[in-house]
Amino acid sequence: MEDVREVRVDTPWGDPSAPVAIGSVGERPVAFLPRHGQKHQFPSHRVNYRANVWAMKEVGVRRLFGPCAAGSLQPHVKPGEFVICDQLVDRTSGRPSTFYDGPETTHVSFADPYCPTMRDALIAKGHELGIPLHVQGTVVVVEGPRFSTRAESHLYAIQGWEVINMTQSPEAVLARELEICYSNISLITDYDVGVAGKIEAVSQEEVIRVFQDNLGRLRDLLLAVVPELPEERDCPCATALATARFEA
Ligand SMILES: [Zn+2]
């Protein structure tokens, strides 16, 4: 990112996790906001997702990448690999997860939570860069901060779901509610406890090493994808509110 400056954004929902860094990648203006704060002081269940997504809208963001560290629920989804998720299952509880608490009633379509245009671009560039990635996957979002029990994890795994994480919800739906395109890149750091088969437990050191390697790849992928996205949006995310309002 070049020509970076930081801006503080006030929102009706309180403070975002940090000031927004604004700069450019090639010709494209970009903004960055660390979801967990500059010192990683906000755990997943305490992140002010509404303030974060609102702040991005406020500075003009139309497409939002929401990368995250994640666990694998399937043996074939290995640590070090990326998953470009196409579905999510929300198992969080008690998180403010809408901008629309009334009196105007708004129900956005969320059948496909991730932007098809962004997903296609990520997959194409990821392949080009030789990044080991899965072109689809379902992420189960758990409340945390604790990890899952073996029984919970096994329940998710036998559904065939691939990824487990603590931040994709409500971030994804809040973006949809503001007609911002949203996509996920899950960086798989380890296997969750309910994965079937004889899989050796990884050490915390190994998890950190895998994560650091992934960060470099993630950066390469984002820098390559941003200039490739079409200027105009013809995806459903761009007009999500057109059919979402019900008049009394
Ligand atoms: Zn879109």
Side-chain angles (χ1 to χ4, degrees):
M1 205 155 90
E2 295 147 31
D3 306 322
V4 183
R5 68 181 202 282
E6 284 195 345
V7 292
R8 288 194 174 275
V9 184
D10 290 329
T11 86
W13 316 98
D15 292 332
S17 297
V20 181
I22 297 176
S24 60
V25 171
E27 305 279 290
R28 291 293 174 88
V30 295
F32 172 74
L33 175 58
R35 173 195 287 131
H36 295 283
Q38 282 165 327
K39 297 174 183 159
H40 211 282
Q41 69 269 45
F42 302 112
S44 303
H45 66 295
R46 300 293 294 168
V47 169
N48 189 340
Y49 295 96
R50 288 193 295 191
N52 284 355
V53 175
W54 190 274
M56 291 307 245
K57 177 82 176 180
E58 197 73 23
V59 300
V61 166
R62 295 184 306 154
R63 293 186 175 108
L64 186 57
F65 293 96
C68 64
S72 166
L73 292 165
Q74 302 295 336
H76 71 279
V77 179
K78 301 186 177 78
E81 296 178 344
F82 286 15
V83 184
I84 311 299
C85 289
D86 64 330
Q87 279 295 318
L88 76 76
V89 175
D90 181 9
R91 295 269 299 169
T92 65
S93 56
R95 298 183 183 187
S97 58
T98 180
F99 291 112
Y100 306 115
D101 282 326
E104 192 175 29
T105 302
T106 302
H107 301 283
V108 290
S109 166
F110 202 47
D112 295 300
Y114 296 109
C115 174
T117 306
M118 292 176 76
R119 290 190 67 252
D120 288 350
L122 284 167
I123 291 163
K125 271 294 162 197
H127 283 151
E128 217 177 289
L129 294 172
I131 294 171
L133 62 81
H134 298 264
V135 301
Q136 63 185 71
T138 296
V139 57
V140 185
V141 192
V142 296
E143 177 61 23
R146 69 168 178 86
F147 289 120
S148 302
T149 64
R150 286 184 203 282
E152 288 166 341
S153 182
H154 182 62
L155 174 66
Y156 308 144
I158 61 174
Q159 304 304 315
W161 302 332
E162 288 88 356
V163 177
I164 187 160
N165 158 266
M166 294 177 190
T167 57
Q168 283 295 290
S169 186
E171 201 169 84
V173 72
L174 290 171
R176 179 65 53 84
E177 284 194 343
L178 296 182
E179 297 185 331
I180 298 173
C181 294
Y182 185 83
S183 67
N184 166 251
I185 307 160
S186 281
L187 290 61
I188 302 297
T189 56
D190 57 349
Y191 286 110
D192 209 45
V193 291
V195 180
K198 197 173 185 313
I199 288 169
E200 291 199 11
V202 288
S203 65
Q204 190 60 27
E205 205 171 75
E206 180 71 2
V207 168
I208 291 167
R209 190 190 62 74
V210 168
F211 186 66
Q212 294 297 347
D213 289 354
N214 274 340
L215 281 184
R217 283 201 190 124
L218 172 66
R219 188 174 166 277
D220 293 345
L221 180 57
L222 290 175
L223 290 176
V225 165
V226 167
E228 294 292 311
L229 292 167
E231 187 70 41
E232 296 303 322
R233 297 190 298 163
D234 59 4
C235 48
C237 342
T239 53
L241 292 175
T243 55
R245 298 240 158 93
F246 293 81
E247 305 300 333

